[in-house]
Amino acid sequence: MKNKNMPSYIIAIILAVIFIYPLYILILIAFEPISLTFDRLYPYQLPFIFTLKNFEASIKDLSLIKPVIRSIIVAFTVGILAIALATPAGYGLNKLAARFSNKIIMLMFVVNMMPAIVIAIPISVYFIKVGLYNNIFGIALAQELVVLPISVFIMLGGFRALPQDIENQAMVDGASIFHSFRNVILPLIKIPLLISFLLAWMTSWDEFTYAVIISPVNPTFPVSLYDYVSRGEPFIASSFALLVTIPVIVIVVVLQKYLKGEYLSGGMKI
Amino acid sequence: MHRYRNYRYMVYVLPALAYVAVLSFFPAASVVFYSFKTPRGVYSISNYEAISKAGLLTSIGNTVIVSFGALLIQLFFAILIANILIKSLKGNKLFSTIFILPYGISTVVSAFIFSLIFSPVGGFANSTLYSLGIHSVDWYSTKYSSMGVVMFADFWKNTPLVALILMGGMSTIPPSLNEAASVDGAGSLRRFIHITLPNLAPFIAIALLIRGVSEFNIFALPLILIGYHPSLINTLVYEYFIYSSTTYYSYAAASVLLAIIVVFAFIIIKFGGAKQYEK
Amino acid sequence: MKYKLELVDLEKSFSNKKVLDKLNLKVIDGEFLVVLGPSGEGKSTLLRTIVGIENLDSGKIIVNGTDVTFKPPNKRNIAMVFQNYALYPNMTAYENIAFPLKMARTDRNSIRSKVDQVAKLLNIEPQLNINVTRLSGGQQQRVAIARALVRDPALFLLDEPLSNLDARVRYTSRQELKRLQKELSHTFVYVTHDQVEASNLADRVAVLHNGVIEQIGPYNELYEKPNTQWVGDFIGTYPMNFIPGDLMGYPDSTIGFRTRWVSEGNDITAKVTLIENSEGNYFVHCKTGDSDIVIRTDTKYNVDDTISFGLERFNIYKNGVLEEIKSGNSVASSGINDVDN
Ligand SMILES: Nc1ncnc2c1ncn2[C@@H]1O[C@H](COP(=O)(O)OP(=O)(O)O)[C@@H](O)[C@H]1O
Ligand SMILES: [Mg+2]
């Protein structure tokens, strides 16, 4: 038994090292004095000295706090907008014939394949005219394009999983449309809603192309991180990079069990 | 239960559909339209001629190499990972958590970390080589090694997603199939080729489609890791957009990218998607 | 007579399939009416149009003398139990039952007492605080019925509420449902494809066929005097036997008789093809001319025997419709039916 699984273990461990190493480096440079990392031709790879100086320095540097706040606002806007649009869409698609709703989902995904840069450039020209250029809501509106198809897909899966006739039963029991949604449907689609929101949130947090083209002057965090790197000052950004990464990693680990399972394939019934 | 056409419910779908369609189609159409316009207001293919002379073909070549290279690496390792995680090994929970971590690290942060690792001066990769007594390497010395760095970073960031999709696929294969085959004396490799792979095909197609399209759109990683040289189509479009006096060059380059993606998606949907519907 | 529900010329089509075709039906106050029909005949559609979740093409629905055709479901004063119970999975049994009362803005204390009362009636008091997804099928079904009963509406619609239960529970539930309905003197419209349920539960059975009520009456009446050959064929464990009228001297018509309407005699000669033994009786399948028939005997015949028998009573059908009932002098078989569990 042991011998049989040996190769699997060896491969798994090698891959695990490869997957962890970059993260380890990120943590290392955040807590090691610069003199041991950035300032050396051959930086040390083992933790010798622990310091919070880097953190203090980067927190003091207000130039990075603003982009992070922008990123948070944008991500929440994208997440809320995703839910606001995808929930009715999932509800409606669920009522349509599967043949028909599958085509619509397909269409959304195909449209979604349009390269971001192809859309971002003309949109930015238009946004200049309407005052959304260099504006965080401009970024959010554009990033919504990236997340909407998957959100609709997940919500459709959620509605498909509802017990048959549950909505009709609520109406027969005297519930108005509002009450039927509020008291019966909503509690049952909580998880798909949460997943849609978090995925949208994460996607926006990560998004670079729309952000850099639509709002170069008021950048989100990824864009300003890029600015630091391209200016050759990565050390200022390094502890911030770790700081903003941790919550997202937590989300991913929490979401793990939903990411693979029925929810991503929920809308895939034919 | 059967579901029937009831067009009334389109009302609920329309906002989302219109949002995606309007905000994608009109900009894309205007890009293609204006790519034929010159600053003097006449329509011709001169923009395309200009960017071809400036090395468009090389960018296309580079993009194709990076895209397919990264795609193949991801697919290979994702299958490997899915195969390991699907077995109920001890410590599997830990491994699957580790393998999903990069998914939670934003692309720009990943690019940032890899730029530190592969930095020619003061990089961690060279530091490792040094401690093993090996000479330092300039990871960006040739075009291909530069693209290799991009592919590696991309592999690290995106393999988890592919593995997730494939794991989803593997869990749909009834265990009885594998059990029956092993009773019939099929070894693990033959079981993989004859049972796992054919059943996984539609999921591989989905992964190829999702990742493939993103590969052609790869932007932040190369921009941060290698800048504009060697150039990929996306960085080329951006370079034109930022540095050229007219947006029309970037429109032309963007149109080329659009065309390539349409062709790629068409091929995958045509061949992978058809299989999917047969099932 | 007072009608709880009157359906007038209901019409309903899906795309181009006509499901209800000028259907008329009147339900008497306090009766247990069973709508019986094969699957796919439109029984569920009928209930869904009555309660208002499916729109009518034309026709009128009158509940308690009030025209509700254009009212939404929550204004029709009708309770319905769906085939799959449609319990709210995020709620306990108590919350499920209390839901309609809450929607009607009943005050908390009377909700409590009404739910307790109906829970007692249905023997689900111990389960009240359990999430409904953790209840057994039989308990879920009781909760669904309790949720309907707690409201005291004009009319109850039940869509095959027992079909998801296993045989034993189904039997006890059936008895209980009947008892409840009589005790509370509610009006039930109960839909099923199961004849046993229909015969055990119904005051009257309405047979749904081709979008109309083809015949309505007590089960025995449908069994003995089916108005059409279709009803004769559909009702009963064994379909009614049909043979050409010429055999008995009635040209241009068809003779219909039940398995046990046979007697000594030689009206009909037939060849035995199969014997079934069921609780002391033999059901003999045989062939006369081109017709396959089944008769019940006490004698054990053998396959390939040629037998002859008489008919103590029979119905005469012309063009599929009942024309005349012929009964010999010793009609003793009324009240008998061969439906068994
Ligand atoms: N929403 C619908 N759209 C189209 N056809 C339907 C719909 N609901 C039911 N039908 C069709 O109407 C017929 C009657 O269905 P139903 O009322 O469910 O029958 P029953 O309950 O007697 O089994 C069936 O042929 C069914 O396919
Ligand atoms: Mg039905």
Side-chain angles (χ1 to χ4, degrees):
Chain A
M1 204 57 199
K2 216 167 188 156
N3 281 342
K4 210 181 110 207
N5 284 332
M6 215 49 190
S8 293
Y9 270 118
I10 292 172
I11 296 172
I13 288 168
I14 293 175
L15 282 173
V17 170
I18 295 176
F19 275 73
I20 286 182
Y21 178 71
L23 203 54
Y24 168 74
I25 294 293
L26 182 63
I27 296 170
L28 185 79
I29 56 174
F31 293 110
E32 282 276 292
I34 296 179
S35 56
L36 295 184
T37 54
F38 286 103
D39 286 353
R40 288 181 59 91
L41 180 55
Y42 298 111
Y44 287 119
Q45 307 218 33
L46 295 175
F48 285 117
I49 303 169
F50 178 85
T51 173
L52 287 174
K53 274 224 177 76
N54 302 347
F55 268 94
E56 283 164 18
S58 47
I59 303 242
K60 272 194 205 120
D61 188 348
L62 287 174
S63 63
L64 268 166
I65 288 194
K66 270 197 182 147
V68 169
I69 293 175
R70 267 186 220 115
S71 271
I72 292 176
I73 297 176
V74 171
F76 271 100
T77 312
V78 170
I80 290 167
L81 197 55
I83 286 182
L85 287 169
T87 309
Y91 175 82
L93 285 174
N94 179 44
K95 300 275 172 145
L96 295 169
R99 242 167 351 117
F100 193 55
S101 57
N102 284 341
K103 284 207 185 92
I104 293 179
I105 287 275
M106 192 71 164
L107 177 70
M108 292 187 91
F109 275 109
V110 168
V111 170
N112 191 244
M113 287 167 192
M114 216 83 86
I117 203 158
V118 172
I119 299 168
I121 293 177
I123 282 186
S124 73
V125 174
Y126 178 74
F127 277 3
I128 291 176
K129 288 184 206 152
V130 296
L132 285 169
Y133 186 68
N134 273 327
N135 179 308
I136 48 179
F137 293 104
I139 310 178
L141 288 179
Q143 288 181 342
E144 196 61 41
L145 281 176
V146 187
V147 304
L148 204 46
I150 186 76
S151 305
V152 172
F153 191 67
I154 291 171
M155 290 318 298
L156 172 60
F159 281 108
R160 281 198 172 152
L162 287 184
Q164 214 179 312
D165 280 326
I166 201 86
E167 202 190 339
N168 293 329
Q169 177 74 59
M171 273 206 288
V172 171
D173 283 345
S176 61
I177 290 181
F178 171 77
H179 275 121
S180 135
F181 185 76
R182 171 69 229 287
N183 296 342
V184 175
I185 311 257
L186 193 59
L188 297 177
I189 55 167
K190 264 190 312 206
I191 289 177
L193 273 179
L194 186 70
I195 296 176
S196 300
F197 180 82
L198 288 179
L199 276 183
W201 199 97
M202 273 173 55
T203 310
S204 163
W205 190 252
D206 187 42
E207 210 282 334
F208 179 75
T209 313
Y210 284 113
V212 75
I213 289 176
I214 288 176
S215 188
V217 177
N218 297 322
T220 53
F221 179 72
V223 176
S224 67
L225 188 57
Y226 161 64
D227 287 341
Y228 274 98
V229 178
S230 63
R231 269 189 268 130
E233 303 169 344
F235 45 88
I236 296 180
S238 61
S239 28
F240 247 95
L242 178 63
L243 217 55
V244 299
T245 296
I246 289 169
V248 188
I249 289 189
V250 172
I251 295 180
V252 166
V253 172
V254 171
L255 269 188
Q256 199 178 3
K257 89 171 172 217
Y258 296 116
L259 284 176
K260 54 192 151 200
E262 57 266 50
Y263 286 102
L264 289 184
S265 57
M268 225 147 67
K269 241 187 275 170
I270 297 180
Chain B
M1 197 182 75
H2 294 278
R3 287 177 194 280
Y4 302 87
R5 285 188 187 213
N6 200 340
Y7 294 109
R8 181 160 60 100
Y9 289 104
M10 270 310 283
V11 176
Y12 295 91
V13 185
L14 276 179
L17 192 59
Y19 193 103
V20 172
V22 172
L23 252 76
S24 305
F25 272 124
F26 285 114
S30 73
V31 161
V32 175
F33 182 73
Y34 286 115
S35 71
F36 292 102
K37 195 173 177 184
T38 56
R40 284 204 242 101
V42 287
Y43 292 91
S44 73
I45 56 165
S46 64
N47 294 328
Y48 288 92
E49 284 168 353
I51 60 171
S52 314
K53 279 203 199 98
L56 174 70
L57 286 180
T58 328
S59 317
I60 296 178
N62 294 346
T63 306
V64 170
I65 292 172
V66 169
S67 300
F68 282 101
L71 211 52
L72 286 181
I73 301 172
Q74 283 168 37
L75 204 57
F76 176 79
F77 281 97
I79 290 178
L80 203 60
I81 289 174
N83 256 306
I84 292 173
L85 292 186
I86 208 82
K87 293 180 197 165
S88 35
L89 295 181
K90 234 177 131 187
N92 230 336
K93 267 237 158 74
L94 180 66
F95 280 127
S96 68
T97 303
I98 291 173
F99 291 152
I100 205 178
L101 284 180
Y103 186 72
I105 296 173
S106 75
T107 311
V108 176
V109 172
S110 318
F112 169 71
I113 303 172
F114 279 98
S115 75
L116 299 182
I117 292 176
F118 288 112
S119 168
V121 181
F124 287 88
N126 276 337
S127 170
T128 309
L129 293 184
Y130 177 76
S131 53
L132 297 173
I134 305 174
H135 266 299
S136 293
V137 176
D138 180 0
W139 305 98
Y140 303 111
S141 61
T142 72
K143 171 176 151 183
Y144 294 104
S145 65
S146 300
M147 295 195 303
V149 170
V150 174
M151 280 190 259
F152 186 77
D154 189 48
F155 144 78
W156 185 80
K157 164 77 178 130
N158 291 310
T159 301
L161 180 64
V162 183
L164 280 177
I165 297 174
L166 296 189
M167 296 253 301
M170 279 193 180
S171 60
T172 64
I173 304 174
S176 58
L177 272 184
N178 266 311
E179 281 156 19
S182 66
V183 169
D184 292 344
S188 56
L189 184 64
R190 298 217 356 217
R191 286 207 303 269
F192 177 76
I193 291 174
H194 293 291
I195 293 171
T196 311
L197 222 42
N199 281 295
L200 216 51
F203 292 87
I204 292 180
I206 290 176
L208 278 180
L209 188 62
I210 294 177
R211 279 309 311 153
V213 169
S214 311
E215 290 304 342
F216 282 114
N217 283 322
I218 191 170
F219 180 48
L221 277 182
L223 188 66
I224 291 172
L225 286 171
I226 57 176
Y228 301 108
H229 302 284
S231 74
L232 304 182
I233 305 180
N234 252 315
T235 52
L236 186 73
V237 174
Y238 187 65
E239 192 179 8
Y240 282 132
F241 176 68
I242 296 282
Y243 296 109
S244 118
S245 55
T246 145
T247 45
Y248 297 135
Y249 286 168
S250 70
Y251 282 5
S255 302
V256 171
L257 179 61
L258 187 59
I260 291 177
I261 289 191
V262 168
V263 170
F264 174 78
F266 179 78
I267 290 172
I268 296 273
I269 291 174
K270 179 100 181 143
F271 294 102
K275 231 182 235 154
Q276 161 96 346
Y277 275 95
E278 271 167 32
K279 283 195 68 131
Chain C
M1 188 171 301
K2 189 169 177 243
Y3 296 114
K4 269 284 164 182
L5 173 70
E6 294 173 66
L7 305 177
V8 185
D9 288 339
L10 297 194
E11 283 191 283
K12 173 76 188 169
S13 309
F14 290 117
S15 35
N16 41 22
K17 186 180 187 315
K18 198 144 201 152
V19 181
L20 306 181
D21 190 5
K22 293 210 176 298
L23 179 141
N24 287 281
L25 180 65
K26 287 179 174 152
V27 183
I28 304 162
D29 192 0
E31 87 169 318
F32 199 126
L33 181 88
V34 171
V35 177
L36 181 64
S39 285
E41 276 296 340
K43 302 182 299 295
S44 296
T45 306
L46 177 63
L47 291 195
R48 296 163 84 90
T49 54
I50 296 173
V51 82
I53 40 190
E54 213 63 86
N55 289 329
L56 276 179
D57 297 342
S58 69
K60 242 189 348 192
I61 298 169
I62 299 164
V63 175
N64 248 350
T66 317
D67 187 339
V68 299
T69 315
F70 298 105
K71 288 191 176 168
N74 48 359
K75 300 269 154 59
R76 291 195 179 192
N77 198 19
I78 300 175
M80 176 157 173
V81 176
F82 286 83
Q83 181 159 359
N84 299 309
Y85 312 145
L87 295 175
Y88 308 122
N90 53 315
M91 304 182 192
T92 62
Y94 181 89
E95 289 164 335
N96 263 276
I97 301 169
F99 187 80
L101 298 176
K102 230 156 100 192
M103 290 300 113
R105 300 181 183 283
T106 317
D107 72 85
R108 204 176 272 210
N109 289 337
S110 46
I111 291 185
R112 173 103 256 167
S113 69
K114 281 189 179 173
V115 173
D116 283 344
Q117 198 184 341
V118 73
K120 194 175 211 167
L121 205 62
L122 282 155
N123 277 326
I124 44 173
E125 286 165 302
Q127 284 84 34
L128 273 183
N129 289 319
I130 300 178
N131 184 290
V132 284
T133 51
R134 294 219 295 277
L135 299 179
S136 72
Q139 290 167 339
Q140 290 187 347
Q141 178 246 337
R142 282 148 190 268
V143 174
I145 290 173
R147 184 176 54 185
L149 288 178
V150 80
R151 277 176 58 192
D152 193 32
L155 182 69
F156 292 86
L157 307 179
L158 300 98
D159 192 352
E160 314 213 17
L162 305 184
S163 64
N164 290 336
L165 303 179
D166 54 50
R168 223 143 201 106
V169 187
R170 190 156 46 192
Y171 178 76
T172 47
S173 298
R174 211 158 62 205
Q175 310 307 322
E176 209 167 81
L177 207 55
K178 180 78 185 166
R179 175 180 64 80
L180 276 173
Q181 184 263 340
K182 283 294 163 234
E183 264 176 33
L184 304 169
S185 52
H186 284 316
T187 312
F188 273 31
V189 176
Y190 181 108
V191 149
T192 183
H193 67 270
D194 183 342
Q195 307 215 10
V196 184
E197 279 179 18
S199 70
N200 286 357
L201 288 170
D203 297 327
R204 289 192 303 159
V205 176
V207 178
L208 180 63
H209 179 50
N210 279 342
V212 294
I213 301 298
E214 188 147 323
Q215 187 170 358
I216 183 166
Y219 186 82
N220 286 335
E221 190 180 306
L222 304 194
Y223 179 79
E224 306 214 333
K225 299 173 197 161
N227 271 341
T228 60
Q229 271 181 251
W230 188 88
V231 173
D233 191 72
F234 175 62
I235 298 278
T237 310
Y238 290 97
M240 188 171 246
N241 294 309
F242 292 107
I243 56 172
D246 307 315
L247 291 177
M248 308 274 295
Y250 298 96
D252 300 327
S253 47
T254 305
I255 302 283
F257 60 94
R258 292 286 177 192
T259 53
R260 63 185 75 193
W261 292 356
V262 294
S263 58
E264 301 285 314
N266 44 19
D267 291 339
I268 296 168
T269 312
K271 190 161 182 167
V272 177
T273 55
L274 179 77
I275 318 268
E276 276 180 271
N277 186 345
S278 163
E279 304 194 353
N281 289 311
Y282 296 101
F283 288 89
V284 181
H285 296 242
C286 41
K287 203 169 174 77
T288 170
D290 289 332
S291 325
D292 293 302
I293 58 176
V294 183
I295 59 169
R296 194 190 69 168
T297 65
D298 300 330
T299 330
K300 184 174 184 348
Y301 294 103
N302 290 314
V303 172
D304 284 345
D305 284 354
T306 301
I307 59 173
S308 57
F309 53 87
L311 294 181
E312 66 187 22
R313 53 180 297 196
F314 52 89
N315 301 344
I316 302 172
Y317 292 87
K318 265 213 166 97
N319 300 322
V321 180
L322 183 64
E323 178 96 354
E324 206 183 335
I325 296 175
K326 291 273 180 194
S327 39
N329 3 0
S330 58
V331 185
S333 43
S334 69
I336 301 176
N337 64 60
D338 64 2
V339 172
D340 39 41
N341 295 348

